[in-house]
Amino acid sequence: YQRRVRGTGCPIYLHMVPGTITIHCEDIDLVGDIVQALAASLNIENLTSTANFPDFIEKLKEVLVKVDEFHNVRQKLTAEMADHSNLIRSLVVRAEDARLMNDMNSMKQSYLKLYDLNRDLVNGYNIRCNNHSELLACLKIVNQGIQKAGRLRVGRPKTQVVTACRNAIKQGDVEKLFKIIECGGV
């Protein structure tokens, strides 16, 4: 059975044999909707599936690479901020010592350096904020991808897939994540 669903532009091929329904479609959202609708209409409480969405997996890989890059940038910016904090403490002490010794030139130089460091810290903060916003956007996409993979299953298998995907991400095992999305288990 073949049908092109209006508005999606994605052909859907259904092949039914007793005990098995095969759905061929490139749109993971549409297949998830079909699986959920079939399970609801047939009163299926638990349903496992295997899935193959290479474009979806490739996009998810790209997003996960970005997530790693954002984490690396965050660590670098945090280290720079810590270095700047130590330098600020040192410059404040120098400036105060110069003031007590009535060395106005040294005090002025220390405060100029403090001003520059403060500007760097503010710029670093803005970069960290942008980095954090982009990281959150990528993590949202990853979470939506996990939810889409879950919608390809029903009941307990759905819950297991979502949990296993999140565990794979926590472990940093991307290949395991993709295997779970495809097969529904480890």
Side-chain angles (χ1 to χ4, degrees), residues 50-91:
T50 57
N52 184 14
F53 294 95
D55 293 340
F56 170 76
I57 294 293
E58 192 58 38
K59 288 177 186 172
L60 199 55
K61 278 182 189 176
E62 291 170 7
V63 171
L64 289 170
V65 166
K66 286 182 183 179
V67 166
D68 282 343
E69 290 170 0
F70 290 133
H71 277 298
N72 292 337
V73 168
R74 188 185 78 201
Q75 288 175 341
K76 180 182 166 222
L77 291 171
T78 301
E80 285 177 7
M81 184 179 69
D83 291 343
H84 280 69
S85 296
N86 291 332
L87 231 105
I88 286 172
R89 267 188 240 120
S90 156
L91 285 171

Side-chain angles (χ1 to χ4, degrees), residues 97-109:
D97 286 347
R99 185 187 66 79
L100 291 173
M101 292 173 36
N102 212 15
D103 184 359
M104 295 303 147
N105 286 334
S106 293
M107 183 181 82
K108 183 179 177 183
Q109 291 300 320

Side-chain angles (χ1 to χ4, degrees), residues 9-169:
C10 180
I12 301 170
Y13 302 96
L14 293 174
H15 181 73
M16 298 180 206
V17 295
T20 302
I21 298 175
T22 305
I23 305 169
H24 291 275
C25 180
E26 293 177 13
D27 187 346
I28 191 169
D29 292 313
L30 184 57
V31 173
D33 290 343
I34 292 170
V35 168
Q36 294 300 312
L38 281 171
S41 65
L42 298 174
N43 292 325
I44 299 172
E45 292 181 18
N46 293 303
L47 177 68
T48 60
S49 66
T50 57
N52 184 14
F53 294 95
D55 293 340
F56 170 76
I57 294 293
E58 192 58 38
K59 288 177 186 172
L60 199 55
K61 278 182 189 176
E62 291 170 7
V63 171
L64 289 170
V65 166
K66 286 182 183 179
V67 166
D68 282 343
E69 290 170 0
F70 290 133
H71 277 298
N72 292 337
V73 168
R74 188 185 78 201
Q75 288 175 341
K76 180 182 166 222
L77 291 171
T78 301
E80 285 177 7
M81 184 179 69
D83 291 343
H84 280 69
S85 296
N86 291 332
L87 231 105
I88 286 172
R89 267 188 240 120
S90 156
L91 285 171
V92 167
V93 169
R94 271 194 234 158
E96 195 55 29
D97 286 347
R99 185 187 66 79
L100 291 173
M101 292 173 36
N102 212 15
D103 184 359
M104 295 303 147
N105 286 334
S106 293
M107 183 181 82
K108 183 179 177 183
Q109 291 300 320
S110 294
Y111 280 124
L112 286 173
K113 288 179 183 176
L114 273 170
Y115 177 80
D116 290 340
L117 275 175
N118 186 53
R119 188 180 60 235
D120 290 346
L121 279 172
V122 169
N123 289 337
Y125 172 77
N126 290 332
I127 292 169
R128 278 194 316 280
C129 284
N130 291 335
N131 183 64
H132 183 71
S133 296
E134 291 177 27
L135 174 63
L136 288 179
C138 286
L139 290 174
K140 183 177 178 182
I141 292 169
V142 171
N143 190 49
Q144 288 171 344
I146 291 171
Q147 295 301 322
K148 289 176 184 182
R151 286 186 50 79
L152 300 173
R153 286 89 184 175
V154 177
R156 187 172 170 93
K158 177 180 181 176
T159 307
Q160 290 171 338
V161 164
V162 171
T163 302
C165 285
R166 291 195 174 130
N167 288 337
I169 288 175

